[in-house]
Amino acid sequence: MSTSITIPSACDFHVHLRQGEMMRMVTPKVVEGGVSLAYVMPNLQPPITNTDQALAYKKELEALAPEVTFYMTLYLSPELTPEEVRKAKKAGIAGVKSYPRGVTTNSDSGIENYEIYYPVFKAMEEEGLVLNLHGEVPSDHNADICVMNAEIKFLPELEKLHNAFPKLKIVLEHATTSAAVELVKRLGDTVACSVTVHHLQLIVDDWAGQVHHFCKPVAKYPHDRDALRQVVAQGHPRFFLGTDSAPHP
């Protein structure tokens, strides 16, 4: 039985390249890692919230790795308007990334209410921009929400967004649960899902108490890992690589 696949290069649809000295260090590593197309996340400090910032960031990245095609995104924030969405589309910006407040690195400016952004989502639907969702809700001990069920608690919001904007292209990022896999499959052609390599390998036992395996969203149960492995092995067209490569100090 074959245990490996070799391809000329990969498209990585979820990459963090940071800024400053760290950006200059890691960006040349993209092509060294076998990736020729990188979909770049916008959670810098301050975040990339408009088209001009995204284009300036892209120019920096291209100077460091001219062999790589960079797809740029904006950070969903109150500054983003339907007019800016249309400007972004004309400039070749690929999507908009949504972070719930406080769930991951540099998400302090994240959102708490999606409905106030419905005019933005409508413009994105019309223009063909992708909505990339970090699919977790913030921990809430009073509601019994923690890192282990934060993704499952988010899934009704994904379905609600899809029902409100059925033609909006949505990507649920770095899925970790069988429930997420089943929902994405059920919602149809405009909803997709990125999968990391480490979530195909790890379960909760591998990171609990082992700091170098800890990464949000955390790996879950064996049946969750099995669901991710199965949908990847099937070659499902709406599940694809997004490594969530994310350097830290």
Side-chain angles (χ1 to χ4, degrees):
M1 184 174 121
S2 177
T3 59
S4 66
I5 298 172
T6 302
I7 60 177
S9 65
C11 298
D12 187 346
F13 284 96
H14 189 129
V15 181
H16 296 268
L17 296 174
R18 306 308 195 201
Q19 59 205 111
E21 183 180 352
M22 186 174 283
M23 173 192 70
R24 291 188 288 273
M25 179 178 70
V26 304
T27 303
K29 301 297 182 184
V30 172
V31 70
E32 291 180 33
V35 168
S36 60
L37 185 153
Y39 194 92
V40 182
M41 295 295 123
N43 58 330
L44 308 186
Q45 292 181 315
I48 301 294
T49 57
N50 64 53
T51 303
D52 293 340
Q53 291 171 344
L55 294 178
Y57 187 30
K58 182 180 183 181
K59 188 174 181 180
E60 286 187 284
L61 299 176
E62 288 176 334
L64 293 166
E67 315 95 323
V68 179
T69 299
F70 293 102
Y71 281 13
M72 307 308 292
T73 61
L74 304 181
Y75 191 109
L76 184 63
S77 74
E79 297 176 39
L80 187 59
T81 63
E83 293 73 26
E84 188 66 27
V85 166
R86 301 189 200 287
K87 179 180 177 181
K89 174 64 175 181
K90 290 179 181 178
I93 305 303
V96 175
K97 179 66 182 289
S98 166
Y99 293 91
R101 189 183 302 276
V103 297
T104 191
T105 304
N106 296 346
S107 64
D108 294 340
S109 301
I111 67 172
E112 296 178 356
N113 184 329
Y114 287 92
E115 292 186 9
I116 64 174
Y117 291 100
Y118 274 20
V120 170
F121 297 155
K122 182 63 177 174
M124 291 174 61
E125 184 179 49
E126 293 170 352
E127 296 294 336
L129 264 68
V130 177
L131 176 60
N132 299 89
L133 296 174
H134 182 113
E136 292 185 293
V137 298
S139 292
D140 182 346
H141 296 171
N142 292 325
D144 199 33
I145 298 173
C146 65
V147 293
M148 289 302 293
N149 63 5
E151 180 175 280
I152 288 177
K153 295 290 187 180
F154 177 84
L155 295 179
E157 191 67 48
L158 168 60
E159 187 161 16
K160 180 180 176 181
L161 285 170
H162 170 66
N163 290 337
F165 304 97
K167 295 182 181 179
L168 175 62
K169 293 185 283 187
I170 301 175
V171 176
L172 177 65
E173 298 290 356
H174 43 52
T176 65
T177 60
S178 60
V181 171
E182 291 307 311
L183 181 62
V184 169
K185 289 166 66 175
R186 177 167 63 80
L187 292 183
D189 290 345
T190 58
V191 180
C193 185
S194 66
V195 180
T196 77
V197 177
H198 54 279
H199 287 129
L200 296 174
Q201 183 71 13
L202 304 177
I203 60 172
V204 58
D205 287 357
D206 296 307
W207 63 259
Q210 299 189 59
V211 65
H212 293 296
H213 287 172
F214 180 81
C215 181
K216 288 185 175 182
V218 299
K220 305 300 192 305
Y221 299 102
H223 74 271
D224 295 309
R225 180 180 63 181
D226 290 345
L228 292 169
R229 288 177 170 181
Q230 288 168 13
V231 78
V232 168
Q234 291 166 5
H236 195 292
R238 288 185 285 113
F239 290 77
F240 42 75
L241 176 67
T243 64
D244 199 9
S245 295
H248 293 267

